[in-house]
Amino acid sequence: MQPVTKRSATGNWLTTTLGKLLIILLSTSALTAVALEQKPLRVATAANFTATLRVLAQHYQNETGITVELSSGSSGKLYAQIVQGAPYDVFFSADVERPQGLEAAGLTLKDSRFTYALGRLVLWSPDKNLNNKPPALNENINNATSLVSAALNKSRSTENFRFIALANPRHAPYGKAAREVLQASGDWQTLQKNQHLVIASNVAQARQFTATGNAQLGFVALSQIMPNASEVSLEKHILIIPDSLYTPIEQQAVILKRSTQQNNALAFINWIKNSANARDIIETTGYKIPSLSPQAKPHS
Amino acid sequence: MISWLSSSDAGALLLSLKLASINTLLLLLLTAPLAWWLARTRCRLRPVIEAVVALPLILPPTVLGFYLLLFLGPNGWGGQLMQLLGGHPLTFSFAGLVIASMIYSLPFAVQPLQNAFQSAGGRHLEVAATLRAGPVDRFFSVTLPLARRGIITGAVLVFAHTLGEFGVILMIGGNIPDVTQVASIAIYDHVEALDYSAAHSLSITLVAIAFTLLLGVYTLNRRFRLLGSNP
C-alpha cells in the first residue's frame, strides 16, 4: 500500500507542478495574446491637422503606451469613406458639417462630437513685406478690414502682382473664411472680376500655389506656416487676420459607432480635451483652443 | 441643357470640349513630323526618343502637374522665358492648360501615328515614286490615306484623354471660371461640396457628349473604309 501511496504522492507532486507550469504558460500566452490584441487606435484626420495630431499621438503614446495610427486626407474624402464603412475609430474633420452629417446618419458615438481646435486664417506672401503689426485680438472691424486692404493694395501696386490663392469657398472652411474677409474689406468683387483669384481645391493647395510663387499672395492656415516660420517672417510676411472678420473655423471630431475600441477612443479624446500638454501643443502649432463647448461632455 | 445644367457647368463643359479640340489638332499637327521621323529613321537615338515620348505615362497626373506648376511658374524656366518674352507665366491660364495637355497626351498622339506611318510606307511609296509622284504628292496621296486609321485612332485617344484630364489641370489650373475651370474640375468641386446631383448631371452629360462624338468618328471611319480606296 505504502509504495503505491508514495508513488501516487510523487505523481501528485508531478501533476500539480505540471499543472502550475501549464497554468503559468497558459496565462502568459493569454496575456501576450491580449497584448497583441491591443490594436492601435485608428484615427482619420483632415490634412491640415495631421502634423499637430502626429505630435499629439507621440505624446499620448509616451504617456499611455497606446499607439495611434493616422490616416490623413481631405475631410470630404474621409467622410465619404467613413459613410462607406472605413474602419476608423475617431475622425478629426476640418469642419463642423461633416461630423454633423455623420451624427445625423447615426454613425457616431452619442455625444462624442466636439470642437478640438479653431483654425486661424492668415494672408501670406513668401517674399513681400506685408508690413504687419499683429492686430490686437479684438481690434474693431474698420481697423481690421483696412489692414487687409492695405496689405492687398501694397502688394497690388507691385508690378508682378497677378494672383491671390485661396481654398475653394464652396466647400473648404479656410476658403469660406477668406471670402468673408475679402467681402468685408470690399475687395472680393474687384478681385473676382479681374480674375485675380485662383481657387485651390483645399488650403494645402492654396499654400502650394503661394509657396511656388505662382500666386503672389495666399490665404492660408497659420498652422501651415508655423512649422517653418521665423520671427522675421511672422512679422513681415504674415498678416494674421483678426478673428472678428470671419466665422470661426471650427474643427470638430467624432468617435465612430463602428469602432471596436470605443473606450480607448474616448480616453484619447478626453486627453486631447483636458490635458494641458495637449492643449499647449494645439496652440503652438497654430490653432486656438475652443472654450469648452456644450458638446464636450464626456460620455460614460 | 439649360435646365439640366447650371450655366457655369455648361461653360465648364464647353471649355473641356474646346481644350480637347485644340489639343487634338495641335498635337496631331506638331507630332506628325516626329512620328514620321521615328517611323523611318535608323538613328541609334530612336529608342531614347521613344522612351522620352512615353514618359508622361509614368508620372501620376498630379505629380506631372506639380512639376509643370514649378516649371511654368514665375520662378521656373518656362515662366521666366515667358517673362523674358514680355508675357506672363502660363500657370492659371488656358494657354497653360493647352501646353500641359499636350505634354500629358503626347504618347497618345505619337505612338498611333508612328505605327500608322510605319505600316503605310515601303512598297506603296516605292511604286508611287516609280510613277513619278514627288515626295509631297506621295505623302498626301499615298501615306495619308493609308495612315488614316492610325491618325483617327490618335485623334480619338488624345481627345478622350484630354476630356478626362483631371490631375494635371487641378494642379496648374486654379479653377478660374471660363478660363481653366473644365468639366472634370467642376465635377470634383460638386463632389467635394456634397452636391452629388449636380455632379451626376454634369458627368452624364460629359459622357453622353463624348460618346456621341466618338461614335460619330468611328461610324464615319467605317463608312469611308467601305466606300474608300483602301487596298
Side-chain angles (χ1 to χ4, degrees), chain A residues 74 76-77 79-80 98 160 162-163 168 170-171 195 197-202 205 208-209 211-216, chain B residues 66 69-70 72-75 88-89 91-92 170-172 174-177 179 186 188-190 192-196:
Chain A
S74 84
K77 290 196 197 71
Y79 167 87
R98 279 160 182 120
N160 63 355
R162 293 184 69 219
F163 293 115
N168 197 323
R170 217 179 128 204
H171 49 74
Q195 295 181 331
L197 299 176
V198 280
I199 307 297
S201 66
N202 53 43
Q205 201 185 21
Q208 184 190 61
F209 282 163
T212 54
N214 283 289
Q216 288 69 45
Chain B
F66 175 67
L69 184 72
L70 294 183
L72 295 176
N75 305 323
H88 289 302
T91 42
F92 314 136
L170 181 79
M171 296 303 278
I172 66 156
N175 205 348
I176 303 172
V179 181
Y188 176 74
D189 272 353
H190 290 318
E192 285 288 291
L194 303 180
D195 187 354
Y196 290 168

Side-chain angles (χ1 to χ4, degrees), chain B:
Chain B
M1 186 144 138
I2 286 152
S3 59
W4 170 253
L5 290 179
S6 70
S7 69
S8 76
D9 281 355
L13 201 56
L14 282 179
L15 197 64
S16 275
L17 293 171
K18 183 176 143 193
L19 179 65
S21 313
I22 291 178
N23 186 35
T24 306
L25 200 69
L26 282 181
L27 207 51
L28 286 188
L29 285 177
L30 294 180
T31 59
L34 175 67
W36 178 261
W37 181 76
L38 284 173
R40 292 275 168 272
T41 187
R42 294 211 176 95
C43 175
R44 278 196 204 155
L45 279 179
R46 196 181 87 168
V48 179
I49 309 280
E50 285 175 324
V52 170
V53 166
L55 277 183
L57 291 172
I58 295 166
L59 288 177
T62 43
V63 178
L64 184 62
F66 175 67
Y67 286 109
L68 283 171
L69 184 72
L70 294 183
F71 174 75
L72 295 176
N75 305 323
W77 290 349
Q80 296 196 328
L81 180 70
M82 283 304 294
Q83 283 165 316
L84 269 181
L85 299 173
H88 289 302
L90 290 174
T91 42
F92 314 136
S93 71
F94 185 75
L97 291 197
V98 173
I99 294 203
S101 304
M102 286 174 69
I103 294 171
Y104 178 60
S105 291
L106 185 67
F108 292 81
V110 173
Q111 288 175 359
L113 285 185
Q114 184 186 341
N115 287 337
F117 290 149
Q118 260 160 0
S119 59
R123 182 114 183 92
H124 299 295
L125 285 181
E126 286 164 18
V127 171
T130 60
L131 296 173
R132 292 192 190 167
V136 177
D137 189 14
R138 272 185 311 219
F139 182 77
F140 283 103
S141 54
V142 179
T143 309
L144 270 192
L146 286 178
R148 193 187 62 227
R149 291 191 67 193
I151 295 170
I152 289 176
T153 306
V156 165
L157 283 177
V158 170
F159 188 84
H161 197 230
T162 313
L163 270 192
E165 187 180 350
F166 171 69
V168 177
I169 298 180
L170 181 79
M171 296 303 278
I172 66 156
N175 205 348
I176 303 172
D178 297 324
V179 181
T180 59
Q181 191 186 72
V182 297
S184 58
I185 299 286
I187 294 170
Y188 176 74
D189 272 353
H190 290 318
V191 173
E192 285 288 291
L194 303 180
D195 187 354
Y196 290 168
S197 71
H200 297 333
S201 307
L202 189 49
S203 298
I204 290 170
T205 318
L206 179 69
V207 169
I209 291 179
F211 178 76
T212 315
L213 280 172
L214 295 183
L215 189 67
V217 170
Y218 282 125
T219 312
L220 279 177
N221 184 38
R222 185 152 175 260
R223 182 177 305 159
F224 277 133
R225 204 163 65 231
L226 285 176
L227 300 175
S229 56
N230 263 6

Side-chain angles (χ1 to χ4, degrees), chain A residues 145-213:
Chain A
T145 52
S146 62
L147 208 64
V148 173
S149 288
L152 283 179
N153 284 331
K154 193 161 189 247
S155 178
R156 239 182 309 194
S157 61
T158 60
E159 209 174 275
N160 63 355
F161 172 81
R162 293 184 69 219
F163 293 115
I164 300 181
L166 64 151
N168 197 323
R170 217 179 128 204
H171 49 74
Y174 285 92
K176 275 180 206 161
R179 182 171 60 187
E180 284 174 5
V181 171
L182 288 176
Q183 281 171 340
S185 73
D187 293 296
W188 176 259
Q189 295 266 330
T190 340
L191 290 173
Q192 202 182 31
K193 203 173 64 201
N194 299 331
Q195 295 181 331
H196 281 311
L197 299 176
V198 280
I199 307 297
S201 66
N202 53 43
V203 71
Q205 201 185 21
R207 180 185 183 279
Q208 184 190 61
F209 282 163
T210 317
T212 54

